[in-house]
Amino acid sequence: MDIELAQSELTATDILIDVREPDEFVIGHIQGVAHIPSGLLEFKMNASEALSARDLKILVYCKNGGRSSLAAKTLVEMGYLSVQAKAGGGDAWAAAGNRIAKISHPELG
């Protein structure tokens, strides 16, 4: 995936969700992403008024695509109408030369 395609993919979505675990998220993630670990996905989506509209255009990603595929399936089952899993996940995003944001976390050094 080239950088232009990746940017257009983000522009076409209302929300980008990173479904990885917190320790993975702090190491590196796509800037501006909503972090909702896959184990909390249903709870967080149902608890947030901002995320309640079923016509949101949602793009979900994880490290390499496995968890995001399952998360996308879950979101469709919850009634969301426009959900995609990012092919290749965050690894493909970084490999294409796209920017990765990092969080300075005292416990992780």
Side-chain angles (χ1 to χ4, degrees):
M1 168 184 305
D2 64 32
I3 293 174
E4 285 182 24
L5 178 58
Q7 293 299 329
S8 68
E9 201 174 39
L10 291 182
T11 304
T13 65
D14 294 318
I15 185 166
L16 173 63
I17 301 174
D18 183 328
V19 295
R20 296 174 302 150
E21 295 301 312
D23 59 328
E24 296 173 286
F25 182 77
V26 298
I27 292 169
H29 55 274
I30 299 172
Q31 190 163 353
V33 67
H35 179 231
I36 306 175
S38 57
L40 299 175
L41 188 63
E42 294 95 334
F43 171 75
K44 294 282 189 175
M45 296 300 284
N46 283 325
S48 173
E49 189 172 321
L51 301 175
S52 66
R54 295 310 196 238
D55 61 347
L56 286 173
K57 293 177 187 152
I58 301 172
L59 180 60
V60 184
Y61 85 96
C62 62
K63 179 172 173 42
N64 56 26
R67 285 174 283 182
S68 60
S69 293
L70 293 173
K73 182 178 185 255
T74 297
L75 291 168
V76 169
E77 289 170 354
M78 291 174 67
Y80 289 92
L81 303 172
S82 181
V83 182
Q84 291 185 337
K86 171 121 184 51
D91 286 352
W93 175 266
N98 292 291
R99 186 165 184 253
I100 298 293
K102 297 183 181 196
I103 295 176
S104 176
H105 197 282
E107 289 132 24
L108 299 176

